[in-house]
Amino acid sequence: MTDKPASPAVTTAKLAWSEDGTPVSTEFDDVYFSRHSGIDETRYVFLEQNRLPERLGALAGKPSAAFRIGETGFGTGLNFLCAWQLRDQVAPGCHLQFSSVEKYPLTLEQLQKALLHWPQLAPYTERLLALYPVLTPGWHHISFSAERVELNLFIGDALAGFASQRAGTLDAWFLDGFAPAKNPRMWSPELFEQLVRLAKPGTTFSTFTAASLVREGLKSAGFEVERVKGYGRKRHMLAGQLDHDATEQTAHKTPWFILPDHRPRTARAMVIGAGLAGTSTAFSLARRGWQVSLLERHAEPALEGSGNNQGILYAKLSAEASTKSDFYSRAYLYATSQLTELMTGDYAAEWDNCGVLQLAHTDREMLRQQQFLLNNPQPPELVRAVTLQQAGELAGIELTQGGLFFQKAGWVTPRALCRRYLEQAGIEARYGVEIADFSFEAGRWQLRDVQGALIDEAETVVIANAYDALRFESSAFLPLKRIRGQVTHIPATETASPLKTVICGNAYVAPALNGQFHIGATFNLDCDSHALRAEDHQRNIEQISELAPSLAQQQGWYALDTNTLQGRVGFRCTSPDYLPLVGPVPDRAAFLDQYARLRKDATTWFDTPGSYLPGLYINTGHGSKGLVSCPLASELIAAQICGSPLPFEQQISDALNPARFLIRDLIRNKI
């Protein structure tokens, strides 16, 4: 993946507090909300002037309905919380999606103090505080799964954030930066153009200001603008809407990545495969009100690559800033947040955020870790360097190296996570269903078995069966490969293990689960054997013993007979660039025809979007990182299918797009 400039470090809000506890920005010399009636002002200026009570109310009782709001200036989150409360009052079944930007975000402690002003919002405040993200640059996707609410929060410059998003997705705009005289960048013509680009016909806006530069700027960008009565003693404010389609197609540097405008008549999808990719995709769609049929050839979920007893959740981030590293850092933060939310109650014993120690087990790895921290300064909540002594204290055992500590990471039982996904209402899991292939007929995909009999049909299908995606004609061209991995299961001795956290380097071991250590995993590129191999057990033991010799000594691993050990063999599905393939499936023949000129000139510009197979998507190629990457990748699939804002920058979506390999091979003149 091509390196990119490192994102600037996050600067948090500089606040003063008035006598009554109202937060005041010292950067802009302005309050975050009215000292006297902030919540009433929000309801009047943003909820009422965008006609949200009636517009949301019209969606009540429609399970797959969605309403999408964009905001300039997240601040304390007051507008978001009020919109959420209103949704609950008038349309509790409607999926609410809120996208906001904030260049100077409040810290968690500042946010908690600011929101004490509004005890009537306490149930919503508690949920926001529980999932408030680690403050790193870029888009953060936060799902309040049980409530069917999403928050996309961009940390950074508003123009950069909105410019990186998908066009034509929003229903309403809350324009709520600090006053134009104090924060003119938030009211620039360039930003107004982005507001129009992200809107669709009928999208409304409202703002507290009536300044002429804002009024004229919004008009010039394309909005119909009206000056209306302001709140309280304020005479006027602005409101209006977009009356035309602003998403005209123009010449584009990478038109093959423009997402198709798939508008199915019914909110029903079929997902093929019940591993992590398939079950998380079904979950993401079902919590948006879709009916999902999950089709699995085995008798239960997660029997292949997602079937290990204990999976490790962490991200090995690149030393240089890159799109790949951006994806995995966002995916890691989202996965840890989702696991904390989902794996409770009966599932609490299947997930432990005990932390992961990534040890500097070689000089090369030590240098890579140092370069990573130098090039990518990170908040300690994400990852921090630890000395040898600190690593030993965290792990509870004597170690020989320091390294990096991911404090929110840990281990989870993948099969339990798959079962938890499938508890979401709206998912019908059908086992023992072998799909031979499918075809598109009369606007629907028809799935058939090996005898050619029709199994089912739907307008929307997601392929999520790992390497077996190559069995289908529509996806047979994708450059997937299988890598065999063997995990070694070793009974823990009667002597209690002191290991308190996951240790990894060239191998991994987690605290014992159900009386067993799970050590792994090998990477065998040219082996298709499902049988356990003694030499692979030996390799796992040697590698983990190098990382944690004191644990190996205490548990007696040096004396084990590898011929008698138990374990598990699985096959990872990967891609040539080790990023997953997530998105619509390209029409290969049409792509080769449309972009044939790339064979002769890779700099050619085109004005036609790529051709994708209607309603067909794929989510595969997660390799050994599926626990990290599948949850956020599935949110991307759901956003693409439902026409929502993306959970991260368009650039990351492009990097995951399955069409990237067709374009690569055209440029290299390989096809």
Side-chain angles (χ1 to χ4, degrees):
M1 182 59 58
T2 303
D3 292 344
K4 69 179 193 66
S7 299
V10 172
T11 301
T12 55
K14 296 179 177 64
L15 301 184
W17 301 87
S18 65
E19 290 183 4
D20 64 355
T22 300
V24 180
S25 169
T26 59
E27 181 88 17
F28 298 101
D29 187 28
D30 205 353
V31 294
Y32 278 84
F33 46 71
S34 167
R35 289 184 171 90
H36 307 293
S37 53
I39 195 167
D40 292 328
E41 184 177 48
T42 283
R43 288 169 175 161
Y44 176 81
V45 172
F46 298 113
L47 307 189
E48 290 185 31
Q49 300 307 315
N50 277 290
R51 308 191 307 278
L52 260 58
E54 61 189 84
R55 295 169 74 189
L56 284 170
L59 302 178
K62 300 178 181 179
S64 62
F67 196 86
R68 304 176 181 109
I69 300 170
E71 180 190 48
T72 59
F74 186 71
T76 65
L78 177 61
N79 297 339
F80 166 62
L81 298 174
C82 287
W84 185 352
Q85 184 186 52
L86 176 65
R87 192 289 309 259
D88 283 357
Q89 292 168 353
V90 302
C94 170
H95 183 238
L96 179 66
Q97 207 282 337
F98 198 94
S99 297
S100 188
V101 296
E102 183 56 62
K103 188 171 185 178
Y104 303 105
L106 274 67
T107 66
L108 181 62
E109 294 74 19
Q110 290 171 331
L111 188 67
Q112 188 172 23
K113 182 177 179 180
L115 291 175
L116 288 174
H117 263 269
W118 317 117
Q120 60 270 56
L121 295 176
Y124 305 96
T125 296
E126 289 171 7
R127 297 291 288 121
L128 174 60
L129 293 173
L131 295 182
Y132 193 61
V134 176
L135 298 178
T136 57
W139 284 103
H140 292 261
H141 184 67
I142 306 147
S143 295
F144 304 91
S145 300
E147 292 87 353
R148 302 193 65 214
V149 172
E150 291 174 46
L151 169 62
N152 282 348
L153 178 59
F154 184 81
I155 306 298
D157 184 76
L159 183 59
F162 291 135
S164 69
Q165 262 297 336
R166 182 183 187 180
T169 59
L170 298 178
D171 298 299
W173 275 109
F174 294 177
L175 308 186
D176 194 27
F178 291 118
K182 298 182 177 183
N183 187 18
R185 233 182 117 69
M186 189 63 88
W187 308 93
S188 68
E190 294 81 9
L191 185 59
F192 294 153
E193 290 173 4
Q194 290 300 324
L195 305 185
V196 170
R197 188 182 70 86
L198 298 180
K200 54 191 178 184
T203 295
T204 59
F205 80 87
S206 63
T207 177
F208 64 89
T209 185
S212 60
L213 71 89
V214 175
R215 183 174 67 251
E216 296 307 317
L218 290 169
K219 282 184 179 180
S220 296
F223 282 107
E224 297 294 322
V225 181
E226 182 181 2
R227 192 167 64 166
V228 298
K229 183 182 182 303
Y231 180 75
R233 289 180 292 180
K234 193 170 189 339
R235 293 181 60 192
H236 297 113
M237 57 168 285
L238 301 177
Q241 69 179 43
L242 186 72
D243 290 332
H244 63 282
D245 187 350
T247 58
E248 295 138 3
Q249 199 61 66
T250 57
H252 195 282
K253 188 176 181 181
T254 56
W256 39 82
F257 291 144
I258 296 173
L259 296 171
D261 186 16
H262 172 56
R263 299 186 184 184
R265 292 163 294 180
T266 58
R268 178 176 180 265
M270 290 188 291
V271 178
I272 303 171
L276 282 167
T279 56
S280 60
T281 298
F283 174 79
S284 290
L285 285 170
R287 71 177 192 82
R288 288 167 169 81
W290 279 56
Q291 296 298 308
V292 183
S293 294
L294 186 72
L295 308 178
E296 168 58 49
R297 65 180 179 178
H298 294 298
E300 57 183 283
L303 286 184
E304 296 198 22
S306 303
N308 287 343
N309 293 348
Q310 198 173 26
I312 310 306
L313 189 98
Y314 85 105
K316 188 172 182 178
L317 304 177
S318 305
E320 301 298 330
S322 66
T323 304
K324 177 187 283 189
S325 192
D326 283 349
F327 169 67
Y328 280 113
S329 63
R330 312 287 173 77
Y332 161 73
L333 289 171
Y334 181 71
T336 54
S337 173
Q338 188 189 75
L339 285 166
T340 301
E341 184 183 31
L342 295 183
M343 302 301 279
T344 58
D346 293 343
Y347 290 93
E350 309 284 358
W351 152 242
D352 187 3
N353 56 344
C354 57
V356 169
L357 272 170
Q358 187 179 341
L359 297 179
H361 58 283
T362 64
D363 291 342
R364 181 179 179 181
E365 174 61 14
M366 181 183 298
L367 179 61
R368 190 198 71 80
Q369 292 185 7
Q370 292 170 348
Q371 290 176 333
F372 165 71
L373 292 175
L374 179 64
N375 297 332
N376 305 274
Q378 300 292 339
E381 303 97 315
L382 175 64
V383 58
R384 69 179 189 269
V386 292
T387 64
L388 170 60
Q389 180 181 346
Q390 291 169 331
E393 291 171 353
L394 288 166
I397 62 173
E398 184 180 346
L399 294 170
T400 59
Q401 310 96 11
L404 300 178
F405 184 59
F406 294 78
Q407 72 177 43
K408 291 181 174 289
W411 62 264
V412 68
T413 305
R415 282 177 291 186
L417 178 57
C418 290
R419 292 196 302 271
R420 176 66 183 88
Y421 283 139
L422 295 178
E423 290 181 353
Q424 177 68 33
I427 299 175
E428 174 201 18
R430 294 157 60 181
Y431 300 109
V433 179
E434 182 86 29
I435 310 277
D437 211 339
F438 44 82
S439 58
F440 191 69
E441 299 178 28
R444 292 175 177 269
W445 290 99
Q446 297 189 344
L447 280 63
R448 300 184 181 276
D449 63 18
V450 290
Q451 284 79 39
L454 180 66
I455 295 172
D456 205 341
E457 59 181 6
E459 295 174 89
T460 307
V461 172
V462 182
I463 303 168
N465 60 341
Y467 184 78
D468 284 339
L470 299 187
R471 295 189 299 142
F472 306 136
E473 182 179 357
S474 300
S475 50
F477 67 92
L478 295 171
L480 300 174
K481 58 182 177 179
R482 295 203 312 168
I483 301 177
R484 180 184 180 275
Q486 182 170 312
V487 177
T488 301
H489 300 171
I490 303 178
T493 65
E494 294 182 3
T495 304
S497 166
L499 185 62
K500 297 189 297 185
T501 190
V502 176
I503 293 172
C504 65
N506 52 355
Y508 68 79
V509 62
L513 174 64
N514 299 326
Q516 276 193 329
F517 287 103
H518 303 96
I519 299 171
T522 60
F523 278 76
N524 306 122
L525 289 169
D526 300 312
C527 180
D528 292 328
S529 173
H530 287 76
L532 292 171
R533 304 195 308 182
E535 60 265 37
D536 288 339
H537 284 321
Q538 185 64 39
R539 178 66 172 161
N540 283 335
I541 292 171
E542 288 174 354
Q543 289 186 326
I544 204 64
S545 297
E546 291 175 5
L547 285 177
S550 65
L551 183 63
Q553 183 68 40
Q554 190 240 17
Q555 292 290 312
W557 292 346
Y558 294 112
L560 291 173
D561 180 0
T562 56
N563 291 295
T564 62
L565 289 176
Q566 297 299 305
R568 187 176 186 278
V569 173
F571 290 86
R572 312 169 183 91
C573 174
T574 66
S575 72
D577 59 10
Y578 294 98
L579 275 170
L581 285 77
V582 186
V585 176
D587 183 330
R588 182 178 185 274
F591 253 72
L592 298 188
D593 180 61
Q594 282 179 282
Y595 304 119
R597 282 181 290 163
L598 289 173
R599 295 189 182 104
K600 296 182 179 180
D601 183 1
T603 65
T604 303
W605 278 55
F606 299 86
D607 57 8
T608 54
S611 296
Y612 291 87
L613 297 172
L616 185 63
Y617 298 80
I618 192 165
N619 187 0
T620 190
H622 294 271
S624 60
K625 305 180 185 73
L627 282 170
V628 168
S629 56
C630 281
L632 191 56
S634 296
E635 289 293 284
L636 174 62
I637 287 277
Q640 291 173 342
I641 290 174
C642 297
S644 301
L646 304 177
F648 39 63
E649 292 86 334
Q650 181 73 55
Q651 182 181 10
I652 300 178
S653 174
D654 294 350
L656 305 182
N657 192 307
R660 68 190 188 267
F661 297 111
L662 288 177
I663 299 302
R664 178 201 65 178
D665 289 345
L666 277 169
I667 291 173
R668 295 177 181 178
N669 209 13
K670 287 188 174 182
I671 51 177

